[in-house]
Amino acid sequence: MFKADVYSKRRKALRESMSEGIVLILGNVDSPMNYPSNPFHFRQDSDFLYFFGLDLQGMAGVMDIDNGEDYIFADDVDMDDIIWMGPQPTLKELAAKAGVSKTAPSAKLADFVDEAKNKGRKIHFLPPYRGENKMTLGELLRENPCQMNSRASEELIKAVVALRSYKEPGEIEEIEKAVGIACDMHTTAMKMCKPGVKEQEIFGTIEGIALAQGRGPSFPIILSINGQTLHNHDHNNILREGRMMVVDAGAETNMHYASDITRTTPVGGVFNSRQKEIYEIVLDANMKAIESAGPGKSNKDLHLEACRVVASGLKDLGIMKGDVDEAVASGAHALFMPHGLGHMMGLDVHDMEGLGENYVGYNDEVKRSDQFGLAFLRFGLPFKPGHVFTIEPGCYFIPELIEKWKSEKMHTGFINYDKAEQYLDFGGVRIEDDVMITESGHKVLGKPIPKTVKEVEDLCR
Ligand code: GLY
Ligand code: MN
Ligand code: MN
């Protein structure tokens, strides 16, 4: 945990940015996997971690906007717990670590909420994303648990996003640690990227690195020689010459800050000329986007710049044609890069996505596009110092999508389908780094991870 005053300051800032009522932040509870006492790996709610820091199940935090008091509702362990779990700190001791002095048993939360309701006070809560917390909220508020998402407080969502979007120095340190773990994961995967090796073996090895150094992967590891499938979680292939392995993987630190890195490695460690040509295009898009990231730009600008680099490179290879600016404006390049350039990152790998993507990445001035490709950009806003986000251009040859667009005669002025069809067995390339906006520009976070053709080939050797 950070020091107690970090959490006290965050709660004070939140209370001061809101009008009235109480804020209720439910922590997560253990969730059964295949029978009641065999739970999934416990992951605390990120908003609870941000404001209360305690990484234990079954807690609720309350901030009273009107009287400035904070409370934690949870239960002290009993003898049964001690027998199975060993001695534990008291609730009072735990709450003190978060700078909270007022505590009460979980059972008292319902009375507290009832009292606030009876006085006509506003009860602010965030959109629940787990069934257990939907049920708890429904029970506390005596409302339909299925409707809890639509009853969440927009005022609270906006106030939380306004705080969590700007990372504190301590948070940056954590994210850099998370990139350090990702560096070990990726360099290990590169060294293992040899013909005959099963994807599962590499997957398991790097998941183990994430668990040995932190809380495990920050999202299910994407690792495949079929990198044209953007989020490929099937790890049953045997690596073979002529393919590239896309690894999109990050770790959580012990305090749950994330990293999210992608590297693409040729099986056998040497790029063939066709692989090198596409790889260099994506690398160029990654490096140019990083270079131009800074205050005064928006992530939407950066996304479009990267798309132009990809389209221009594909035009040089004869896969695309026509005017590059017009091609990108029309969305033709999205055949080869059908996703956004990146997203905010912090306590969640897609930071605050549970609060609603458009609250995090868009506002009244910057609206989400509905064009295929650009519509998937999660974060389109102007950059401000303290923003942390990913830059992850890619180039993919998705046979089904190429055939569909061809048959529908989509963007025939910008795409040479005959040439694109020569790449149906190619796969895909993605290169992703984690970047922070500073007063004067940007900083690529964490330890550098081999990325140029030479660096990747040298490491594999
Ligand atoms: N975690 C997948 C990605 O956004 O890169
Ligand atoms: Mn990623
Ligand atoms: Mn990402």
Side-chain angles (χ1 to χ4, degrees), residues 187-195 197-198 201-203 205-206 239 245:
T187 51
T188 300
M190 287 175 185
K191 288 177 196 162
M192 292 178 76
C193 185
K194 295 187 164 69
V197 177
K198 194 170 183 190
E201 208 179 314
I202 308 176
F203 162 79
T205 303
I206 69 171
L239 270 49
M245 177 179 71

Side-chain angles (χ1 to χ4, degrees), residues 177-193:
K177 269 189 227 164
V179 177
I181 304 171
C183 179
D184 287 352
M185 295 163 75
H186 282 276
T187 51
T188 300
M190 287 175 185
K191 288 177 196 162
M192 292 178 76
C193 185

Side-chain angles (χ1 to χ4, degrees), residues 135-394:
M135 295 300 288
T136 302
L137 278 172
E139 196 180 11
L140 285 171
L141 299 169
R142 295 178 221 279
E143 292 191 34
N144 182 344
C146 301
Q147 288 172 356
M148 288 295 107
N149 267 42
S150 59
R151 301 292 316 277
S153 161
E154 190 176 39
E155 185 188 355
L156 177 60
I157 293 171
K158 288 181 172 171
V160 171
V161 170
L163 287 175
R164 283 184 57 190
S165 292
Y166 302 96
K167 272 58 182 179
E168 301 156 1
E171 296 185 283
I172 299 294
E173 239 177 77
E174 281 294 309
I175 294 170
E176 297 213 274
K177 269 189 227 164
V179 177
I181 304 171
C183 179
D184 287 352
M185 295 163 75
H186 282 276
T187 51
T188 300
M190 287 175 185
K191 288 177 196 162
M192 292 178 76
C193 185
K194 295 187 164 69
V197 177
K198 194 170 183 190
E199 289 170 348
Q200 186 178 1
E201 208 179 314
I202 308 176
F203 162 79
T205 303
I206 69 171
E207 176 138 341
I209 292 172
L211 284 162
Q213 298 186 34
R215 295 295 171 122
S218 51
F219 59 95
I221 290 171
I222 296 160
L223 185 155
S224 181
I225 52 171
N226 287 323
Q228 75 280 7
T229 302
L230 303 183
H231 282 181
N232 205 329
H233 298 301
D234 171 28
H235 312 299
N236 286 309
N237 294 302
I238 308 282
L239 270 49
R240 59 179 198 277
E241 203 95 45
R243 299 294 295 184
M244 287 181 292
M245 177 179 71
V246 171
V247 180
D248 183 346
E252 281 195 1
T253 61
N254 284 332
M255 284 176 62
H256 296 289
Y257 283 87
S259 55
D260 183 7
I261 300 284
T262 307
R263 289 294 183 264
T264 306
T265 309
V267 177
V270 181
F271 291 90
N272 65 33
S273 58
R274 192 172 77 149
Q275 290 170 340
K276 196 185 292 188
E277 283 169 351
I278 300 292
Y279 188 89
E280 294 279 17
I281 292 170
V282 178
L283 182 66
D284 198 26
N286 168 287
M287 306 239 276
K288 285 197 170 125
I290 290 174
E291 198 43 50
S292 78
K297 275 251 161 89
S298 75
N299 199 44
K300 189 172 171 184
D301 299 334
L302 216 63
H303 170 90
L304 292 171
E305 279 176 34
C307 293
R308 284 192 284 271
V309 174
V310 171
S312 164
L314 292 176
K315 183 179 166 182
D316 292 343
L317 295 180
I319 299 168
M320 290 188 73
K321 58 187 174 180
D323 182 81
V324 166
D325 291 345
E326 285 175 24
V328 170
S330 76
H333 65 286
L335 177 59
F336 307 106
M337 182 176 147
H339 61 70
L341 184 66
H343 48 84
M344 286 250 208
M345 197 187 73
L347 276 167
D348 305 301
V349 68
H350 288 183
D351 211 23
M352 301 173 277
E353 201 161 287
L355 305 184
E357 273 188 38
N358 286 347
Y359 288 115
V360 178
Y362 293 90
N363 60 23
D364 291 341
E365 285 88 54
V366 188
K367 298 281 180 207
R368 187 189 282 265
S369 163
D370 57 11
Q371 185 187 72
F372 177 77
L374 189 52
F376 304 132
L377 181 65
R378 293 186 158 96
F379 170 53
L381 292 178
F383 293 128
K384 301 270 171 53
H387 280 164
V388 170
F389 59 100
T390 64
I391 292 186
E392 49 180 306

Side-chain angles (χ1 to χ4, degrees), residues 434-454:
D434 302 336
V435 176
M436 172 180 73
I437 298 296
T438 62
E439 295 290 340
S440 58
H442 63 270
K443 180 179 184 218
V444 181
L445 295 174
K447 213 158 131 188
I449 303 169
K451 181 160 84 166
T452 64
V453 165
K454 182 172 184 314

